[in-house]
Amino acid sequence: MLLQINGLFFVLLVLNCCSVAVSDPVNVTASDLKQVSNLSPPGSVPIANSPPVFKPALGSTFSLTLLSSFPEDLEISEYCSELLLVFGRRYVDYVNCLVPAARPVKACQNCFSGYGSLVEIYTNISSNQMGPGNVSCRDSLLRSDRLMLVYMLFSGLQDIWEKSVCSHCVSDGYQSLSNDTLHFLDILNQTITCFEKYKQGNLTDLCTNCKSLYKSLNDLYGQKEQNQTLCIDLEDAMNMTRRLWSKTFNCSFPREETVPVIAVSSFMLFLPIIFYLSNFLHSEQKKRKLIHPKRAKSSTNLIHIQDKQS
């Protein structure tokens, strides 16, 4: 009997120690519960027997964030980490270039080199080419999770590049602007310089002196539009130049194709008149031919009747 009592006492002692060990890190006291209840919004109904709120001890070294490292077989290699850092720097540089180039639009002419650098590092990441230690970063950086953040970031900037049609204004390899684009920008700068020169005086002088430059620019834009070699920079620049010419300076520029259009329109306008007039003349001439034989026949019959009566 004494042995059973001692065993029961030992079990109770163990359970008491376990309860103390579990409740110690939480540090929940009556004063803590009172402070939590005071944080309830005014007018709210207190919940009876609500569980205590977990509050980590201030001196605890336990972090609520994810672990800073995983096992070595799950982490990316040092080579892939360097590629990811380079991608991040070039991504930020390209975005920082795009924002100031949003208005007026100069995304192609100002930021083509940054986009070329971004394409270069993304190609290294997404290719099957092995790096040091025969390591490929495509799977670890692009396909290791459902979000595929690196791919989404690059796709967004690539979509901007394609919608801007910057490839029509940039040479292959993203080295420089194309020769056609440089020629167009040169004529554009000359035209804008002419506008700046004469806009303070009589606008009639501006329309007269800048007409040849504006005509050259307009013709060149028409050729590039027909050949489909325009990018968003040139489209936006030409739209602003036309707005200055027509609305701000109130200049007019007669187009050469208006002459044949007026000639064709005039011909189509007088075509019904010509048709009805020719039809009328033709019917009158035909009527005369039909009436003349009848008169001749009637006169001969009249002569025979008179001979019979005589």
Side-chain angles (χ1 to χ4, degrees), residues 125-157:
I125 293 175
S126 59
S127 64
N128 290 323
Q129 184 178 0
M130 296 296 179
N134 294 328
V135 176
S136 175
C137 301
R138 183 180 63 177
D139 293 335
S140 60
L141 296 181
L142 299 182
R143 301 179 179 178
S144 59
D145 56 83
R146 178 178 59 84
L147 183 59
M148 298 187 297
L149 183 59
V150 175
Y151 169 77
M152 291 181 63
L153 291 173
F154 178 77
S155 297
L157 296 184

Side-chain angles (χ1 to χ4, degrees), residues 1 42 63-64 73 79-80 136 145 147 182 198-200 261 263 296 303:
M1 186 67 179
S63 176
L64 296 180
D73 57 342
Y79 171 70
C80 296
S136 175
D145 56 83
L147 183 59
L182 292 175
Y198 293 100
K199 71 177 184 179
Q200 300 299 335
V261 169
I303 294 173

Side-chain angles (χ1 to χ4, degrees), residues 215-263:
K215 182 179 182 302
S216 300
L217 181 66
N218 198 55
D219 293 342
L220 183 59
Y221 182 84
Q223 294 176 4
K224 294 183 70 64
E225 187 177 22
Q226 185 177 2
N227 298 333
Q228 295 182 353
T229 57
L230 290 173
C231 62
I232 188 61
D233 293 18
L234 305 188
E235 292 178 8
D236 185 70
M238 192 64 201
N239 289 335
M240 290 191 296
T241 306
R242 286 175 173 174
R243 193 179 303 118
L244 288 174
W245 177 264
S246 59
K247 293 185 178 181
T248 304
F249 304 136
N250 198 21
C251 297
S252 61
F253 185 73
R255 296 184 177 181
E256 297 179 355
E257 60 267 19
T258 56
V259 177
V261 169
I262 293 175

Side-chain angles (χ1 to χ4, degrees), residues 3 11 27 33 53 74 80 93 121 127 130 176 180-181 184 212 227 235 252 255 260 279 287:
L3 182 62
V11 171
N27 296 330
L33 293 178
V53 179
L74 296 179
C80 296
D93 292 340
I121 188 63
S127 64
M130 296 296 179
S176 63
D180 294 340
T181 303
F184 181 88
S212 58
N227 298 333
E235 292 178 8
S252 61
R255 296 184 177 181
N279 190 17
K287 187 183 296 183

Side-chain angles (χ1 to χ4, degrees), residues 51-183:
V53 179
F54 175 75
K55 295 174 63 178
L58 296 177
S60 177
T61 58
F62 178 75
S63 176
L64 296 180
T65 59
L66 291 176
L67 297 177
S68 60
S69 62
F70 287 97
E72 293 182 358
D73 57 342
L74 296 179
E75 290 184 346
I76 62 175
S77 64
E78 184 179 357
Y79 171 70
C80 296
S81 297
E82 293 178 356
L83 288 182
L84 187 60
L85 291 177
V86 174
F87 175 84
R89 288 195 296 266
R90 296 185 180 183
Y91 182 92
V92 172
D93 292 340
Y94 182 56
V95 172
N96 289 336
C97 179
L98 284 179
V99 174
R103 190 76 257 158
V105 183
K106 295 182 180 180
C108 301
Q109 54 185 314
N110 288 358
C111 306
F112 65 88
S113 60
Y115 182 75
S117 300
L118 185 65
V119 170
E120 180 183 6
I121 188 63
Y122 183 80
T123 302
N124 293 335
I125 293 175
S126 59
S127 64
N128 290 323
Q129 184 178 0
M130 296 296 179
N134 294 328
V135 176
S136 175
C137 301
R138 183 180 63 177
D139 293 335
S140 60
L141 296 181
L142 299 182
R143 301 179 179 178
S144 59
D145 56 83
R146 178 178 59 84
L147 183 59
M148 298 187 297
L149 183 59
V150 175
Y151 169 77
M152 291 181 63
L153 291 173
F154 178 77
S155 297
L157 296 184
Q158 185 182 36
D159 187 55
I160 295 176
W161 178 269
E162 292 177 353
K163 288 183 177 180
S164 302
V165 204
C166 291
S167 58
H168 289 171
C169 295
V170 179
S171 62
D172 295 336
Y174 311 101
Q175 298 298 323
S176 63
L177 297 175
S178 63
N179 294 330
D180 294 340
T181 303
L182 292 175
H183 178 61

